[in-house]
Amino acid sequence: MYLNLLLAFALLTALLFAVPVRWKAPITAVVTAILSVVAAVPAVKALASGTTTEITRMQGPVFGEESIAVDPLSGLFLIIIAVTSVAAVLYSCGYMKHYYGKKPPVQFSLHYTAFAALVASMMMVVTSSGGFSFLFGWEMMTIASFLLILFDAQRPEVLRAALTYLIMMHVGFVFLVAGFAGIDAVCGSAGFDCLPRCYASRHTLSLFVIFLIGFGMKAGIFPMHVWLPEAHPAAPSHVSALMSGVMIKTGVYGVIRVAGAITEVGQLHTGGIILLAAGIVTGLWGAVQAAAQNDAKRLLAYSSMENVGIIFIALGVAALGAGADDPVVASIALCGALLHTFNHSLFKSLLYFGTGNLYSQMHTTLLDRFGGTAKRMPVTAALFLLATAAICALPPLNGFAGEFLIYLGLLDSVSNGVNVLYAAGGITALALIGGIVLLAFAKLFGVVFLGTPRHRSVHSVTEVDGLRLASMAIPAAGIVLAGLLPQYAVRMVSAAAAEFSPAAVYLVEANVAPTLTRVSLTAFLLIIAVALLYTVKVRAQRRRTLSHGPTWGCGFTAPDTRMQYTGESFAEGLESLASTFNSDIVEGRVVDKGEIFPPAVRNYNVRHKDRVGRLFSAWWIEMLRLINQRIMRLRTGKINNYIFFALMFLVLIFVLSLFNII
Amino acid sequence: MLIKTLLNTLLMAAVAIAIPGVINRLRARMAGRKGAPFFQHLRDARLLAAKGSVYSDTTTLLFRVAPAVYLGAAAVALLFIPVADLEPLISFEGDIICFAYTLALARAALVLAAMDTGSSFEGMGASREALYGALVEPALMIGFATLAMFCGYTSFAEIFAVKQSFDLHLTLVMLLAAYLFLRITFVEAGRMPVEDPRTHLELTMIHEVMCLDYSGIDMLMIRLGGWLKTAAFAMIAADAAATVTCFRWWFATPLAILLTGVSVAVVESTQARNKLSRNTTFMVTLSALAALIFFIGYLLQLDINI
């Protein structure tokens, strides 16, 4: 199995390295499309029928027998991976064009090889039954994404981000290995299906927390999110889209698998509280940090963190509901979590594609360089607006459908009188997150696309090629469809939810889908109302005089584009409230209140750094460096020393075996 | 059934029209002026409808669509609210969430339209509105959660229809909730002490400053949307109060008009507007108040003798 996989992969690599530059992207697109179709067939079957299709079964080298199988949960994640991967690879066909000639072809080969490897490994991760094949896929995913981030490696910050990412992922990997070894120790094999037996025997919570840390590293749970705002801006946009929209969800997938195996009521309760607390802190931290960022990609990265927080809030409530023996709350919240996972992959990839369009035109993603871009890139702006509205959970788009279910789970928990205070905490956090996200994305869209250009280079911006816009239409279509017809979207996830909450399918059919049909009708009513009002207005205005002029300056006659609100000033109010969470890096001096007319042009630059992020990265990079230095002393380069080390090793083994330790 | 729904919608529209009239009349009387006629604001509206519009060259299509979105969303949000024992047009499990997010859509439309003009003043208004919206959202949702907890339902129509024989706990929680929603109405309607709609200095405005570039029909739509939004919140507060007193439409309608109309007029006649930096404290206090009410409700529901 592994051999065949590696062989096929080597063939693909050889092919990619052999063909000329402009063929590399299309070939990867074809490979990705084939992979997606092959994966989508059993996925759709699993979701439609709720059954499991076993693809292959093999003997792993370490953890015993394993299988590759598609059950409904795998199916859902396979579909998420397939849709976003196809969109991302199509997007890259257009996006990478402006790198042709600027970079050696070998870099493109490496990039696309890694891309195909990332897609394949993500599919492997979500279909593996656990143990060795899971870890194999997981590690391949990490390495592939590391190579993908490295595409622009001549920029020093990219190299640093990629290394941070690699280190953090491997720390997470160690936890996962420990977790699987823990299962193996109890059951003799390390599949997820052994988890219930393992939980029943001993120390559920420690095993759960070990897995939570391992998966949380990928998902970006506070305080392990540090790599997110570094790696996403460093990677090319289609890679950020794939990583942020899909790859971090493999962490969510893992947590669902691990948490879903808990059956004992008290443990479910504790696990639920842990998940809920992690979700609340992650979500709020991500939202507040997102609002403070002045770089589009960093903002989006923090927003991914905030969305993971929302998903975890929903998972926590689902676990709490299951622990309190309330299948309604458990099913609705779990459906909400899964639907939000699906939705987020759509709008986040669309947002990253949009940012990629901006970057390819302006070569920057700093918000305050833009302004008035909507007039020059109308299609990009419209699609970006769609994704913005969806991520703010505004009706009638898909983000609302997902958050509606999560709220409904929380409110049902409150109204049924189970875990009232925990659910109320979730509601408060979700409401606050929702409000702050609206602020953050109003800032992002408003500063980038609206108003007047803040920099002369905006005047030369043009709309990007049709291929990129077409690939953006894939997630856009999903956003609109899942938003207008949420009753069908929820049926898609209900089979996956039923794996952990058996009542889900019935409840969704009997209860949730009819409610969502009403939501859908309301959405149509809203659209009709707005369309009607707009038409009436336009018709009425035909009989009235319409004129154009400059923006009203409140009597001031010499307005300047620099007087516009910038990203920094837009979020100033929130930042002053949340200043304790940031450590600001300030360059230059603020204009003093006394100086109405400052004597000279003065630069003032402030960057908001995540307090946790700095603390963390400084702390462990420094520590690793020190440890590395110590170990490097052993590398003397003298052969006699090395022989001595080997001898010491043998002596050590001997002594240990004497005392029956190994 | 159909007639009840129709009556419900008409009454809501009546409330929306009556509240500004009551506020203006009462405020004038309290200031010792004779004041404009009760329906002056409708005449102003007609005037706006007849006017042409000036559009800034900076703006895009978004600026022209935004008023329609604002009014449309406010109108749809209004359809969720029952007038005491009448039935609203739209009612389903979880419609309180739909209500909150439809109004968030209205807010987002205006905020983005304000950013579209590229004006520093309107950017300022947008920034403030987005921040205050974010801060008032938890208060609103905890308020709803309190109702959901105490009544066991998640839709307005069912929540307010809960009426046992006289229950001291329910009365207490409902009255507290009515007070909370009334305070939220002040924020959402852009009234004192959060904001002074009569101010003439752009630097101190919030809601008004976002609409500086609107004129004619667009301005009218925004005005109407504002009235509808106020009416929706006023009716929620009135419903909460009516549930424990007299749960009939002929009682709730005047209650909504008077409760909001009188309290807004009295506050605006007697208090000064908050310093802008104090506004955030006001909102956070609102959320704290909501949390407190929720907790009181929780304790009362546990039936601990206090």
Side-chain angles (χ1 to χ4, degrees):
Chain A
M1 165 71 191
Y2 300 108
L3 219 57
N4 291 344
L5 200 72
L6 287 174
L7 207 63
F9 193 65
L11 274 177
L12 173 68
T13 313
L15 182 67
L16 276 174
F17 272 85
V19 294
V21 167
R22 55 189 63 259
W23 283 101
K24 294 184 203 292
I27 285 178
T28 318
V30 171
V31 171
T32 311
I34 292 171
L35 270 177
S36 298
V37 171
V38 168
V41 172
V44 170
K45 197 178 131 200
L47 280 178
S49 63
T51 53
T52 305
T53 319
E54 191 169 278
I55 294 171
T56 171
R57 181 168 277 280
M58 67 270 182
Q59 191 68 32
V62 193
F63 291 128
E65 200 180 39
E66 283 152 9
S67 66
I68 296 282
V70 182
D71 63 355
L73 185 68
S74 309
L76 180 66
F77 277 86
L78 276 181
I79 286 177
I80 292 174
I81 294 168
V83 171
T84 312
S85 304
V86 169
V89 75
L90 283 179
Y91 182 84
S92 82
C93 293
Y95 181 78
M96 296 298 263
K97 269 193 187 129
H98 74 269
Y99 286 109
Y100 289 167
K102 288 185 195 158
K103 284 186 177 289
V106 64
Q107 280 217 5
F108 290 93
S109 315
L110 198 62
H111 183 80
Y112 279 109
T113 312
F115 190 95
L118 179 61
V119 175
S121 58
M122 285 193 297
M123 288 178 173
M124 183 164 170
V125 163
V126 298
T127 50
S128 156
S129 69
F132 186 78
S133 54
F134 187 91
L135 289 172
F136 183 87
W138 192 266
E139 181 59 16
M140 197 160 103
M141 187 166 82
T142 299
I143 292 171
S145 47
F146 169 70
L147 290 175
L148 287 171
I149 297 172
L150 271 181
F151 184 68
D152 254 347
Q154 75 275 20
R155 278 158 52 201
E157 73 268 21
V158 171
L159 200 60
R160 214 188 54 222
L163 283 175
T164 310
Y165 172 70
L166 196 68
I167 292 171
M168 291 196 66
M169 283 310 109
H170 280 98
V171 174
F173 187 71
V174 170
F175 278 92
L176 288 187
V177 171
F180 280 115
I183 307 178
D184 187 51
V186 175
C187 308
S189 74
F192 287 119
D193 47 346
C194 303
L195 266 172
R197 207 146 44 95
C198 187
Y199 284 151
S201 68
R202 55 180 172 164
H203 45 251
T204 305
L205 220 57
S206 55
L207 192 63
F208 176 66
V209 169
I210 285 173
F211 271 116
L212 187 65
I213 294 172
F215 288 127
M217 203 66 91
K218 195 65 117 188
I221 297 178
F222 179 91
M224 297 171 280
H225 64 276
V226 179
W227 65 274
L228 275 170
E230 304 299 329
H232 287 323
S237 287
H238 57 281
V239 177
S240 322
L242 197 58
M243 281 172 59
S244 193
V246 188
M247 197 189 70
I248 60 170
K249 304 297 170 40
T250 55
V252 174
Y253 167 84
V255 172
I256 295 176
R257 280 272 180 232
V258 175
I262 306 177
T263 44
E264 206 260 312
V265 170
Q267 293 170 347
L268 267 175
H269 188 77
T270 322
I273 293 172
I274 293 174
L275 287 176
L276 184 68
I280 288 175
V281 177
T282 308
L284 280 175
W285 191 271
V288 169
Q289 294 293 338
Q293 298 309 312
N294 287 322
D295 179 293
K297 278 187 153 185
R298 285 181 77 91
L299 195 158
L300 292 179
Y302 274 116
S303 137
S304 292
M305 178 187 172
E306 157 261 314
N307 277 288
V308 166
I310 292 176
I311 294 168
F312 272 80
I313 289 176
L315 290 179
V317 172
L320 281 171
D325 203 18
D326 189 336
V328 179
V329 172
S331 308
I332 293 178
L334 190 54
C335 283
L338 292 172
L339 189 58
H340 195 77
T341 310
F342 173 72
N343 288 338
H344 179 249
S345 75
L346 295 176
F347 45 68
K348 189 46 67 68
S349 52
L350 185 50
L351 285 167
Y352 268 114
F353 294 156
T355 316
N357 289 358
L358 295 170
Y359 183 77
S360 68
Q361 296 293 312
M362 291 274 291
H363 305 290
T364 180
T365 48
L366 290 177
L367 296 185
D368 293 338
R369 291 296 173 82
F370 292 92
T373 326
K375 287 196 167 163
R376 287 158 192 91
M377 305 171 91
V379 185
T380 304
L383 290 168
F384 205 91
L385 181 63
L386 185 80
T388 301
I391 203 167
C392 295
L394 297 179
L397 298 170
N398 68 345
F400 176 68
E403 288 203 19
F404 177 82
L405 281 184
I406 298 174
Y407 266 119
L408 200 60
L410 287 161
L411 283 174
D412 272 346
S413 186
V414 168
S415 66
N416 294 354
V418 290
N419 302 311
V420 172
L421 292 181
Y422 296 122
I427 291 173
T428 316
L430 208 53
L432 198 55
I433 291 170
I436 297 174
V437 166
L438 187 62
L439 186 145
F441 278 87
K443 162 179 158 172
L444 175 61
F445 187 81
V447 172
V448 170
F449 286 100
L450 305 176
T452 47
R454 290 179 180 78
H455 197 262
R456 60 182 180 283
S457 56
V458 177
H459 293 289
S460 59
V461 163
T462 50
E463 187 60 272
V464 297
D465 53 288
L467 183 62
R468 266 188 270 179
L469 295 178
S471 65
M472 288 167 80
I474 297 173
I479 288 172
V480 173
L481 281 178
L484 289 179
L485 302 167
Q487 64 271 38
Y488 297 106
V490 77
R491 284 194 179 112
M492 181 178 81
V493 302
S494 68
E499 260 186 78
F500 306 101
S501 179
V505 172
Y506 167 75
L507 269 170
V508 162
E509 278 305 321
N511 202 342
V512 179
T515 306
L516 283 175
T517 313
R518 301 288 191 84
V519 174
S520 152
L521 287 177
T522 313
F524 281 110
L525 183 69
L526 187 65
I527 291 174
I528 291 169
V530 170
L532 204 67
L533 283 169
Y534 186 67
T535 324
V536 166
K537 184 188 101 169
V538 170
R539 290 183 74 89
Q541 279 183 335
R542 276 188 205 151
R543 295 190 299 277
R544 290 166 180 77
T545 45
L546 292 185
S547 52
H548 290 264
T551 297
W552 167 237
C554 303
F556 186 66
T557 49
D560 188 316
T561 54
R562 294 197 311 173
M563 289 177 186
Q564 274 183 104
Y565 252 49
T566 59
E568 183 59 32
S569 43
F570 192 82
E572 196 274 332
L574 184 71
E575 279 160 25
S576 63
L577 290 180
S579 54
T580 34
F581 304 130
N582 289 324
S583 51
D584 297 346
I585 299 176
V586 183
E587 290 162 12
R589 197 161 57 84
V590 198
V591 176
D592 199 50
K593 272 179 190 158
E595 319 170 69
I596 303 177
F597 303 105
V601 175
R602 190 185 290 167
N603 279 326
Y604 174 67
N605 191 12
V606 57
R607 273 175 296 158
H608 302 289
K609 287 275 186 174
D610 191 331
R611 184 153 283 201
V612 173
R614 286 195 53 196
L615 194 78
F616 246 75
S617 54
W619 176 71
W620 59 12
I621 284 176
E622 191 55 26
M623 201 180 73
L624 281 173
R625 209 174 56 82
L626 279 178
I627 294 174
N628 202 25
Q629 252 175 9
R630 298 263 163 81
I631 294 174
M632 278 311 198
R633 279 192 212 149
L634 296 178
R635 207 186 63 171
T636 52
K638 291 176 184 156
I639 196 87
N640 47 356
N641 287 4
Y642 292 145
I643 292 171
F644 175 70
F645 292 152
L647 184 69
M648 287 307 289
F649 180 73
L650 289 176
V651 170
L652 184 73
I653 298 285
F654 176 69
V655 172
L656 287 179
S657 59
L658 267 187
F659 292 103
N660 267 337
I661 294 172
I662 49 171
Chain B
M1 166 109 179
L2 195 68
I3 293 173
K4 275 187 168 180
T5 308
L6 193 66
L7 184 62
N8 189 55
T9 314
L10 289 177
L11 281 176
M12 286 306 296
V15 169
I17 291 170
I19 287 177
V22 170
I23 295 175
N24 288 338
R25 287 295 299 168
L26 196 62
R27 213 168 47 189
R29 300 305 297 181
M30 286 182 73
R33 289 184 285 121
K34 187 156 168 280
F38 187 80
F39 287 112
Q40 182 60 41
H41 57 291
L42 289 186
R43 293 184 198 171
D44 292 345
R46 207 176 60 202
L47 202 67
L48 279 175
K51 280 187 175 177
S53 300
V54 184
Y55 288 108
S56 159
D57 295 320
T58 316
T59 57
T60 57
L61 182 66
L62 188 143
F63 184 78
R64 301 189 181 209
V65 180
V69 176
Y70 184 70
L71 179 55
V76 169
L78 199 74
L79 298 177
F80 290 112
I81 312 295
V83 180
D85 53 343
L86 299 180
E87 285 150 33
L89 185 64
I90 314 171
S91 174
F92 51 84
E93 200 190 337
D95 62 5
I96 47 183
I97 310 157
C98 262
F99 171 79
Y101 275 79
T102 311
L103 287 181
L105 173 68
R107 187 189 312 129
L110 267 200
V111 165
L112 286 181
M115 295 294 283
D116 201 7
T117 61
S119 148
S120 49
F121 291 106
E122 286 173 61
M124 187 171 70
S127 159
R128 288 172 185 169
E129 175 84 2
L131 177 65
Y132 297 160
L135 292 178
V136 83
E137 194 86 4
L140 186 64
M141 289 313 294
I142 306 170
F144 287 158
T146 312
L147 296 181
M149 173 182 62
F150 225 81
C151 307
Y153 294 105
T154 52
S155 102
F156 286 118
E158 284 173 309
I159 284 173
F160 293 125
V162 168
K163 173 73 181 162
Q164 300 97 358
S165 53
F166 180 75
D167 177 358
L168 184 67
H169 291 175
L170 184 73
T171 312
L172 199 62
V173 169
M174 278 298 182
L175 288 180
L176 283 171
Y179 175 69
L180 174 72
F181 287 122
L182 200 61
R183 301 273 286 199
I184 294 177
T185 312
F186 288 175
V187 182
E188 291 284 347
R191 289 289 178 169
M192 295 253 252
V194 176
E195 175 181 15
D196 186 357
R198 291 167 302 171
T199 182
H200 288 290
L201 181 60
E202 291 88 350
L203 282 172
T204 62
M205 295 177 181
I206 301 167
H207 191 262
E208 298 291 311
V209 79
M210 288 200 295
C211 318
L212 282 179
D213 265 83
Y214 278 120
S215 49
I217 297 175
D218 292 314
M219 194 64 216
L220 172 68
M221 283 178 157
I222 290 170
R223 286 267 169 83
L224 287 178
W227 295 347
L228 295 182
K229 225 168 109 172
T230 312
F233 281 102
M235 189 51 90
I236 294 175
D239 274 337
T243 303
V244 289
T245 47
C246 172
F247 195 60
R248 302 304 302 273
W249 60 269
W250 45 258
F251 179 74
T253 312
L255 186 67
I257 297 170
L258 289 177
L259 206 60
T260 308
V262 173
S263 58
V264 167
V266 169
V267 167
E268 292 203 347
S269 305
T270 55
Q271 280 189 22
R273 187 180 55 75
N274 279 344
K275 214 172 124 187
L276 272 172
S277 54
R278 288 261 308 149
N279 265 348
T280 45
T281 321
F282 182 85
M283 314 272 176
V284 176
T285 314
L286 216 55
S287 293
L289 185 70
L292 194 64
I293 293 174
F294 181 87
F295 203 66
I296 290 172
Y298 180 63
L299 289 181
L300 287 180
Q301 213 191 18
L302 288 181
D303 248 345
I304 304 167
N305 279 325
I306 34 175

